[in-house]
Amino acid sequence: MKYEDLKFKIPLESSTYKEDSEYIIGSITSILDKRKASNDNKIIINTNLKLGLPLENINKIAGPMIEAWAGEVFSGIRDIENNEYKLINVEAQERLGMSDIILQFRKGKRVLTGNIDVKATANDIPNSGKGPNITSFARIRTAYVIDPDFMFIILSIKHKVYSERNKKTGLVDGIMEIVDYNAYDLKFISDSDISYNPALGTGQIQIKDIHYVAYQYHTTWEFCQLLDHKYLHSSRRTIEDFYREAVKNKWIKN
């Protein structure tokens, strides 16, 4: 059996996909820029610890907190009627969902949907969150077949943590400050920046270094082929493994 002999279902994205992706990423970045410019980019953690939080371990809880912060930022914009970004819907997703937040923007007569995966990295810890797991190979591969315009956006947020004594309580507050962020459409990340980790289920799609990502335009079908290539070139996977997943997830024609 050869990969080239399989009769694939070939997903064809809309002609406006690239423009729509840039619109959503631009809107996300603009929203966060405005939040940072207003100096409202901090998460303050109040405790009754007189010596403050153990900063060497605080990054273990940073991910969920920054994800919640991002959700509140976008929800605050959505709640402004006729907001300048045309953000009309924000939905937090279940913990094991493919994405963390779904954002919907109105663009003309259409509604654009972005599936946002929030990744937190510590600005002051070398290699923090450098090569994160992004999503399951089978899950994302199937999503692109079901919806060729499926938009999966990685929102990488850098933070730094420090302590300040609260003048009112006399206790030490932990401050988690958002210092930088970047948003990437997974489908437009370069071939060399994407890797495949065969551990866990059908394997995980990873970004080699989330702090330094190059863009490369792919159609949906080109990206599916790239994912397949990464899977098949893993030492743990065979064409028989791939065929089993392809049949199970309906990537090929009957």
Side-chain angles (χ1 to χ4, degrees), residues 100-191:
D100 298 313
I101 309 168
I102 290 179
L103 302 180
Q104 291 184 306
F105 296 83
R106 186 173 298 284
K107 185 184 179 190
K109 296 182 179 180
R110 298 183 298 131
V111 173
L112 308 181
T113 300
N115 298 268
I116 317 301
D117 184 26
V118 181
K119 296 298 181 189
T121 63
N123 190 54
D124 46 1
I125 298 179
N127 296 326
S128 168
K130 177 181 175 181
N133 286 331
I134 300 300
T135 187
S136 154
F137 162 73
R139 181 181 270 188
I140 191 68
R141 177 67 164 83
T142 302
Y144 286 130
V145 173
I146 293 173
D147 178 8
D149 288 325
F150 185 78
M151 196 179 297
F152 191 83
I153 294 173
I154 300 150
L155 177 57
S156 173
I157 299 180
K158 279 188 178 183
H159 65 278
K160 66 179 179 180
V161 179
Y162 53 92
S163 294
E164 281 186 354
R165 187 164 298 279
N166 188 308
K167 294 179 181 178
K168 292 183 179 179
T169 65
L171 300 175
V172 177
D173 291 337
I175 312 294
M176 192 174 292
E177 182 178 352
I178 311 308
V179 295
D180 198 12
Y181 37 83
N182 283 291
Y184 313 102
D185 188 324
L186 177 63
K187 207 168 76 175
F188 295 159
I189 292 177
S190 74
D191 298 7

Side-chain angles (χ1 to χ4, degrees), residues 7-167:
K7 297 185 182 299
F8 287 100
K9 294 178 180 177
I10 299 179
L12 299 173
E13 74 275 18
S14 66
S15 60
T16 61
Y17 180 88
K18 185 172 183 288
E19 176 187 322
D20 295 340
S21 172
E22 291 171 349
Y23 180 89
I24 290 185
I25 287 175
S27 297
I28 289 171
T29 302
S30 182
I31 289 169
L32 296 179
D33 284 346
K34 190 170 185 178
R35 186 74 172 225
K36 186 177 180 181
S38 67
N39 201 33
D40 193 6
N41 58 329
K42 299 179 181 68
I43 302 169
I44 301 174
I45 307 167
N46 304 115
T47 72
N48 61 352
L49 298 173
K50 294 181 180 179
L51 299 179
L53 296 166
L55 298 185
E56 67 274 13
N57 293 316
I58 194 66
N59 292 293
K60 294 178 181 178
I61 64 169
M65 299 192 73
I66 287 178
E67 179 187 321
W69 175 84
E72 288 193 6
V73 169
F74 295 127
S75 295
I77 297 295
R78 174 205 58 198
D79 293 341
I80 300 173
E81 190 173 355
N82 298 320
N83 63 81
E84 62 183 294
Y85 307 99
K86 304 293 191 293
L87 178 58
I88 60 173
N89 190 33
V90 178
E91 293 180 19
Q93 299 300 287
E94 295 179 359
R95 200 72 205 143
L96 296 178
M98 190 186 306
S99 60
D100 298 313
I101 309 168
I102 290 179
L103 302 180
Q104 291 184 306
F105 296 83
R106 186 173 298 284
K107 185 184 179 190
K109 296 182 179 180
R110 298 183 298 131
V111 173
L112 308 181
T113 300
N115 298 268
I116 317 301
D117 184 26
V118 181
K119 296 298 181 189
T121 63
N123 190 54
D124 46 1
I125 298 179
N127 296 326
S128 168
K130 177 181 175 181
N133 286 331
I134 300 300
T135 187
S136 154
F137 162 73
R139 181 181 270 188
I140 191 68
R141 177 67 164 83
T142 302
Y144 286 130
V145 173
I146 293 173
D147 178 8
D149 288 325
F150 185 78
M151 196 179 297
F152 191 83
I153 294 173
I154 300 150
L155 177 57
S156 173
I157 299 180
K158 279 188 178 183
H159 65 278
K160 66 179 179 180
V161 179
Y162 53 92
S163 294
E164 281 186 354
R165 187 164 298 279
N166 188 308
K167 294 179 181 178

